[in-house]
Amino acid sequence: AQTVTQSQPEMSVQEAETVTLSCTYDTSESDYYLFWYKQPPSRQMILVIRQEAYKQQNATENRFSVNFQKAAKSFSLKISDSQLGDAAMYFCAYRSSGNTGKLIFGQGTTLQVKP
Amino acid sequence: DTAVSQTPKYLVTQMGNDKSIKCEQNLGHDTMYWYKQDSKKFLKIMFSYNNKELIINETVPNRFSPKSPDKAHLNLHINSLELGDSAVYFCASSQVTYSTKSEAFFGQGTRLTVV
């Protein structure tokens, strides 16, 4: 069975600085998807970025980018120029390429942004 | 236009009661899900329906019964509520077949409190 591990329960960053959130996963599959979701205090789950395992290029969405290391089964999220609105809980999630679409989540990392 | 909407947002009820949470998606997705977020913020899948057919049924007490009248709706009925059922329940949807888009979209969550 696949597992997702986020080893940093809490992180903090100064506004305008850069922070990296870690995620590792375990799978025997070669084709899958990885995601980062953001959950602010409003509780809404917001997709931040996705990565297809077959793509070697790291995904980027504005200030958010990932470092996808397939062999190491590592998928970290880098947030550049951190803003107060980035403060939230961040979840790493794995999805098999199969036909269920089921997401397996990590434990989450709470990010604090200091002004 | 809310893509995935669930009602109610908050639900406070007494032990032993029966309650339902409704979910609707207007994205035309073929698959819908119920996820449970516990008090430690851990997210885990409960059920999934693909075109009204149950495809995922994780280890969930029989008191929980999902129903999908059509592929745009997925409801969750809970019988004989217990204190341990208190959690946030998220509905989500995604397009699993014939799609290059892999991400799931989430509703705003229903905070269920059993007293």
Side-chain angles (χ1 to χ4, degrees):
Chain A
Q2 296 87 12
T3 58
V4 178
T5 302
Q6 293 178 249
S7 58
Q8 306 156 317
E10 294 179 354
M11 292 282 284
S12 67
V13 64
Q14 209 69 35
E15 197 176 2
E17 297 294 308
T18 296
V19 65
T20 298
L21 308 184
S22 301
C23 173
T24 58
Y25 58 95
D26 190 26
T27 184
S28 59
E29 300 175 332
S30 59
D31 196 16
Y32 48 86
Y33 306 95
L34 295 164
F35 307 89
W36 280 97
Y37 280 88
K38 170 184 177 181
Q39 187 179 38
S42 66
R43 201 168 71 208
Q44 180 71 49
M45 293 288 288
I46 302 164
L47 178 69
V48 175
I49 199 164
R50 78 167 174 269
Q51 174 80 43
E52 291 86 349
Y54 65 84
K55 290 187 178 178
Q56 292 186 337
Q57 189 171 10
N58 289 324
T60 301
E61 288 286 342
N62 300 316
R63 298 182 295 108
F64 298 87
S65 61
V66 298
N67 184 2
F68 173 49
Q69 302 288 327
K70 191 172 184 180
K73 296 179 183 172
S74 170
F75 182 61
S76 61
L77 175 69
K78 185 170 87 170
I79 306 174
S80 304
D81 186 24
S82 296
Q83 300 175 359
L84 295 177
D86 295 334
M89 194 152 192
Y90 287 81
F91 291 94
C92 178
Y94 172 100
R95 190 203 130 174
S96 170
S97 62
N99 61 358
T100 69
K102 167 184 171 181
L103 290 173
I104 299 169
F105 287 91
Q107 304 92 321
T109 297
T110 299
L111 178 66
Q112 181 186 25
V113 181
K114 297 178 181 177
Chain B
D1 286 344
T2 305
V4 181
S5 61
Q6 55 183 106
T7 54
K9 289 180 71 174
Y10 298 94
L11 189 50
V12 181
T13 188
Q14 289 188 323
M15 279 175 53
N17 283 351
D18 303 339
K19 289 294 178 185
S20 292
I21 306 171
K22 296 179 184 294
C23 180
E24 176 182 4
Q25 56 99 359
N26 63 6
L27 297 167
H29 288 162
D30 60 4
T31 306
M32 295 184 73
Y33 313 84
W34 281 111
Y35 286 86
K36 178 180 179 180
Q37 185 172 41
D38 63 21
S39 58
K40 295 183 179 178
K41 303 285 189 176
F42 187 65
L43 277 152
K44 188 176 180 190
I45 193 164
M46 300 173 69
F47 302 102
S48 175
Y49 272 78
N50 176 274
N51 283 318
K52 301 193 297 176
E53 181 182 347
L54 183 65
I55 58 171
I56 293 176
N57 185 352
E58 297 285 312
T59 309
V60 177
N62 290 339
R63 299 181 294 101
F64 290 78
S65 55
K67 282 190 172 54
S68 181
D70 56 62
K71 75 173 194 175
H73 295 84
L74 179 62
N75 304 322
L76 181 65
H77 189 75
I78 316 170
N79 289 327
S80 303
L81 277 154
E82 300 177 358
L83 293 177
D85 298 331
S86 297
V88 178
Y89 294 85
F90 283 97
C91 176
S93 73
S94 68
Q95 181 64 29
V96 172
T97 55
Y98 308 118
S99 174
T100 57
K101 297 208 179 280
S102 53
E103 64 266 30
F105 292 83
F106 285 77
Q108 66 271 53
T110 296
R111 179 176 293 281
L112 171 65
T113 303
V114 183
V115 298

